[in-house]
Amino acid sequence: MDQILGQVLRNAVWERLDMLADLANRADTDSLVSVARSELPRLTEGWRAMLQAHEPDERGDCPTCSTRWHRCKAPCSVWQVAHEHLVAGGLAPQQDLRRPWHRGKSAVPGQSRAAKPAHGETTGRHALIPQVATH
């Protein structure tokens, strides 16, 4: 049941991001202003909440990315991706902003962000996207 709920949640998030990207690429100016006013505060709060969960602890480790057996030093991949997209975006090479690392290579070298579909996940648009092999 948790796998099904997780897939529904992931699909909803990917579809929302797809919709926002489509609006950014196709909407008229008045619609863009309206969407920006409603969505930018939500997106910034989402980034803040996610980054707060990845704030380094007193040892300089990311408490979310670290495990009992492997400590992840800050800045973790979440902070690196945040910096790349929010701060260095104008300096970074241009890429397709519609799920640039979805089912593919991570924006952070050496780390795969590809998620394997859970056993039995055969529904939902994003569950059916074939996985890209990463080396």
Side-chain angles (χ1 to χ4, degrees):
M1 187 60 135
D2 288 340
Q3 290 177 346
I4 293 169
L5 182 59
Q7 186 63 43
V8 168
L9 182 140
R10 287 188 299 278
N11 284 350
V13 170
W14 285 121
E15 288 172 12
R16 180 67 171 203
L17 290 172
D18 288 345
M19 183 269 301
L20 291 171
D22 287 342
L23 278 172
N25 291 324
R26 297 185 184 146
D28 59 82
T29 303
D30 290 339
S31 297
L32 281 175
V33 170
S34 177
V35 168
R37 285 190 176 131
S38 65
E39 295 298 325
L40 282 176
R42 293 175 53 171
L43 290 170
T44 56
E45 285 305 308
W47 271 104
R48 290 177 200 275
M50 183 171 42
L51 292 172
Q52 185 64 41
H54 292 268
E55 275 291 314
D57 61 17
E58 63 279 350
R59 294 177 298 208
D61 297 331
C62 173
T64 304
C65 295
S66 296
T67 67
R68 177 182 293 176
W69 299 278
H70 174 73
R71 306 310 302 170
C72 179
K73 285 291 183 195
C76 68
S77 62
V78 171
W79 273 99
Q80 292 173 28
V81 169
H83 182 270
E84 177 184 335
H85 289 278
L86 297 173
V87 178
L91 305 173
Q94 293 298 317
Q95 58 182 319
D96 183 6
L97 295 179
R98 288 182 54 138
R99 295 177 276 135
W101 55 78
H102 182 57
R103 302 281 190 220
K105 291 184 179 179
S106 168
V108 180
Q111 295 179 345
S112 173
R113 299 200 43 108
K116 294 181 182 176
H119 177 71
E121 287 184 352
T122 57
T123 61
R125 186 171 111 213
H126 297 286
L128 301 175
I129 296 172
Q131 184 144 344
V132 175
T134 58
H135 300 285

